[in-house]
C-alpha cells in the first residue's frame, strides 16, 4: 500500500508541475462530484419523509435538492474529465521523455545491452501507456475517499452498526491487491516472450527484412514462432487472470453478505417503529452506494497498482543508472595529444557475466598515428572501441591519455573530442543535412560544415542523387520521405563521423562492411591521408577496426586481437616479417581474392 500511495503522490506532483490551475480544477470538480451522491441519498430521505407527512413545501425543496445532486453526479465528473484528460496526456509525454532520458542519458550503455534490464524496460514501456488511467485513478480514489467518509457519517446517523459496512469492504480491497500481485508476477514472467514476439512482429512487418522473408520463405516460420510465443504468454496470463478473478470474487461475496445484513437491520428497525421510511430509503441507497464505491475502488486500485509497479521500475532504473555514473572527474581533457593513449593491464568482462572478454591488455596508441585493430569476429575488437568511447570502464587496469586516467576526465568533455563511425550505425530520418550534421550538433544546419564532412568521408555522391540535395527529407516515416540503400545510409553515417574536423580520437569501427575488400582498402587509404592532417594538428589518433587483414596495410600500427588479448602489434612490414598470426591470417585472406 505504501508503494501505491507513493505512486499516487508521484502522479499528483507530475500534474501539479504541468499545470497547477487545471490540476486544482480537476481536484475540486472530482471532490464535488463525490459529495453529490451521498447528499442525494440524504435528500431522498427528506423527500420521502416530507411526502409521507403531507408537507408539500418541504417535499418540493427536497425534490429540488435531489435534482441538483443528480445533476452534480452526472455533470461534475464530466467537467473534471475535461481538466484532467489533457493533464494525463502531458503526464504520459513527460514519463516517456524520462524513459528516453534514462535510456540514453547515462554514461554507459550497460543497461541497454543486458537482457534482464531490457526485460524491465520492455514492461515499463508497456505500463507507462496506462498513465492516463493511473491519473484518473488517483482523482477518482480521492473522490471515493471523501464519498466513503460522508457515507459513513450518514450510515452512523441511521444505525451505528451500519458503520461496519465499510469494514466488510476490506476483504475485497485485500483480495484485489492480492489479485493484482498475481497478475504483475505473470507479466514479469512473460516479459521476455513478449519482447521476442514484438521483435518477430517488427521483422514480419518491416520493409528491411521483407526481401529475405520471401526468398527464404520465412513468413510461415515467423508466424509460427510469433504464435507460439503469444500462446505461451497468453496461457500464463490466462492462468493468472483466473486465479486473480477467484480472489476478487471471494472478496465481493464477503461484502455482499454484509450488505444484505445491514439492510435487514434497518428494515427491522423501521418495522419496530424505531426508524422512519426515509431512513430505510437512506440506508438502502447508501448501502448500494457503498457497494458501488467499493467496486469502483477495487477497479481503480487495480489501475493505480499497475502504475505503482511502473513507478517502482522507474525508481529502480533511476537508481541503476545513477549507480553507474562516472567517478569524480578532476583531470582536464588534453588540448592535444603528445604521447598518446595507453592501455595498462586492462581487463574487462561485461557486468552480470563471468566471461572475460579482455585480459591483460597492454597497448600504446601513439599520438598522431593511424592504428588498425584487426582480428576475427568475437576477438574483442569492438570491446576495445567501447572502452575508448567510455561506454564501459575497465574491470581492471587503467586507460590513460597523455598520462591522465581517462576515468578522471569529465565524460562529456572527452566525448566532445572524439568522433565515431560504427558498423551498426543509426539511420536518423531527418533532413539529409541534419542526418549528417548531428555529428557536431552546434553545426547541425551549417551547409558548409556538412559539405566538408561529406567531402572528407568521400560520400558526396549520395547527396548528388537526392532530388533536393541536403534539404531532402529521409526515411519512410514521412509520406514524402526518401528511402536510401544500406550503402547510402552508411556513407551518410561516415559523413557524420567526419563532422568534427580535429578530434583527439577518430574511431571507425567496421564502417565500410558493405564494401568489398579492395574498395574498403582504397577508402581506408584516403582516410589515412586525412588522419595525418588531424595528427599533425592535434596529435589525434585514428583507429580503424576491421576483420579484413588485407585492407589496413597503410596503418602506422596494426594491432592483432585474438581471444581477448593483443597477440601482436606493429607495422604491416614488421608483422609480415615476424611470420606470426597476422602474417598467417593476412596470407589466408589474401589468397581468397586471387
Amino acid at each position: 500500500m505504501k508503494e501505491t500511495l507513493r505512486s499516487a503522490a508521484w502522479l499528483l506532483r507530475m500534474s501539479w508541475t504541468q499545470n497547477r490551475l487545471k490540476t486544482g480544477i480537476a481536484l475540486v470538480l472530482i471532490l464535488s462530484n463525490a459529495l453529490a451522491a451521498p447528499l442525494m441519498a440524504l435528500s431522498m430521505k427528506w423527500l420521502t419523509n416530507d411526502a409521507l407527512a403531507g408537507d408539500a413545501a418541504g417535499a418540493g425543496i427536497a425534490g429540488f435538492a435531489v435534482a441538483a445532486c443528480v445533476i452534480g453526479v452526472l455533470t461534475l465528473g464530466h467537467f473534471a474529465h475535461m481538466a484532467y484528460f489533457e493533464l494525463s496526456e502531458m503526464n504520459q509525454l513527460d514519463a516517456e521523455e524520462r524513459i528516453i532520458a534514462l535510456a540514453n542519458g547515462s554514461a554507459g550503455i550497460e543497461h541497454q545491452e543486458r537482457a534482464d534490464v531490457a526485460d524491465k524496460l520492455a514492461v515499463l514501456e508497456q505500463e507507462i501507456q496506462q498513465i492516463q488511467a493511473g491519473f484518473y485513478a488517483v482523482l477518482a480514489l480521492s473522490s471515493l475517499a471523501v464519498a466513503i467518509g460522508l457515507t459513513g457519517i450518514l450510515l452512523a446517523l441511521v444505525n451505528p452498526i451500519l458503520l461496519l459496512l465499510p469494514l466488510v469492504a476490506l476483504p475485497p480491497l485485500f483480495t484485489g491487491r492480492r489479485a493484482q500481485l498475481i497478475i504483475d508476477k505473470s507479466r514479469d514472467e512473460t516479459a521476455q516472450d513478449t519482447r521476442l514476439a514484438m521483435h518477430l512482429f517488427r521483422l514480419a512487418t518491416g520493409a528491411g527484412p521483407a526481401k529475405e522473408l520471401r526468398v527464404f520463405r520465412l513468413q510461415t516460420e515467423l508466424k509460427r514462432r510469433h504464435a507460439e510465443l503469444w500462446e505461451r504468454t497468453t496461457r500464463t496470463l490466462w492462468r493468472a487472470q483466473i486465479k486473480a478473478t477467484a480472489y476478487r470474487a471471494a472478496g465481493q461475496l464477503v461484502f455482499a453478505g454484509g450488505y444484505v445484513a445491514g439492510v435487514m437491520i434497518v428494515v427491522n428497525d423501521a418495522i419496530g417503529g424505531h426508524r422512519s421510511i426515509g431512513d430505510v430509503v437512506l440506508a438502502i441507497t447508501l448501502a448500494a452506494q457503498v457497494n458501488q464505491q467499493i467496486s469502483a475502488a477495487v477497479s481503480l486500485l487495480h489501475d493505480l497498482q499497475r502504475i505503482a509497479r511502473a513507478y517502482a521500475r522507474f525508481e529502480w532504473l533511476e537508481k541503476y543508472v545513477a549507480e553507474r555514473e562516472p567517478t569524480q572527474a578532476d583531470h582536464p581533457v588534453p588540448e592535444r595529444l603528445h604521447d598518446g593513449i595507453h592501455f595498462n593491464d586492462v581487463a574487462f568482462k561485461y557486468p552480470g557475466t563471468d566471461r572475460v572478454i579482455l585480459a591483460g591488455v597492454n597497448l600504446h596508441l601513439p599520438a598522431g598515428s593511424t592504428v588498425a585493430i584487426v582480428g576475427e569476429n568475437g576477438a574483442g575488437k569492438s570491446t576495445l572501441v567501447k572502452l575508448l568511447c567510455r561506454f564501459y570502464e575497465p574491470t581492471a587496469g587503467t586507460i590513460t591519455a597523455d598520462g591522465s586516467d581517462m576515468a578522471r576526465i569529465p565524460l562529456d568533455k572527452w566525448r566532445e573530442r572524439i568522433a565515431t563511425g560504427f558498423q551498426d550505425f543509426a539511420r536518423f530520418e531527418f533532413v539529409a543535412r541534419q542526418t549528417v550534421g548531428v555529428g557536431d550538433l552546434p553545426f547541425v544546419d551549417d551547409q558548409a560544415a556538412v559539405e566538408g564532412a561529406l567531402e572528407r568521408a568521400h560520400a558526396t555522391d549520395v547527396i548528388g542523387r537526392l532530388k533536393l540535395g541536403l534539404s531532402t527529407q529521409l526515411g519512410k516515416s514521412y509520406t514524402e520521405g526518401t528511402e536510401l540503400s544500406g550503402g547510402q545510409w552508411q556513407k551518410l553515417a561516415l559523413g557524420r563521423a567526419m563532422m568534427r574536423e580535429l578530434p583527439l580520437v577518430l574511431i571507425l569501427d567496421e564502417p565500410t562492411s558493405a564494401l568489398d575488400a579492395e574498395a574498403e582498402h582504397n577508402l581506408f587509404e584516403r582516410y589515412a591521408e586525412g588522419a595525418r592532417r588531424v595528427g599533425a594538428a592535434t596529435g589525434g589518433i585514428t583507429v580503424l577496426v576491421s576483420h579484413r587483414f588485407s585492407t589496413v596495410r597503410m596503418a602506422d600500427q596494426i594491432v592483432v586481437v585474438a581471444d581477448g588479448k593483443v597477440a601482436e602489434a606493429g607495422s604491416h612490414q614488421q608483422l609480415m616479417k615476424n611470420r606470426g598470426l597476422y602474417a598467417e591470417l593476412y596470407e589466408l585472406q589474401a589468397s581468397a581474392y586471387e
Side-chain angles (χ1 to χ4, degrees), residues 60 66 97 108 138 150 173 277 302 332 372 410 430 439 520 529 581 586:
V66 170
E97 289 176 348
V138 171
L150 181 55
L173 292 176
I277 299 301
H302 170 80
F430 304 151
E520 182 185 68
E529 293 174 9
L581 179 62
Y586 177 86

Side-chain angles (χ1 to χ4, degrees), residues 8 26-27 107 171 174 181 204 282 352 426 494 505 541 545 548 554 557 560:
L27 283 169
F174 172 78
L181 290 174
L282 176 62
L494 283 168
V505 182
I541 303 167
V545 181
R548 291 168 173 164
M554 85 302 297
Q557 179 179 210
V560 183

Side-chain angles (χ1 to χ4, degrees), residues 416-420 437 439-441 443 446-457 494-506 527 529-542:
E416 284 177 2
R417 299 301 308 278
I418 68 174
T420 57
D440 195 3
L441 206 53
F443 300 94
D446 189 314
Q447 184 92 358
V450 171
E451 289 175 349
L454 290 170
E455 282 283 352
R456 290 189 291 276
L494 283 168
R496 194 158 57 241
M498 298 296 169
M499 277 296 293
R500 293 175 177 170
E501 291 190 57
L502 299 173
L504 289 180
V505 182
L506 170 62
Y527 285 161
E529 293 174 9
R532 282 187 277 275
R533 175 184 60 83
V534 174
T538 67
I541 303 167
T542 297

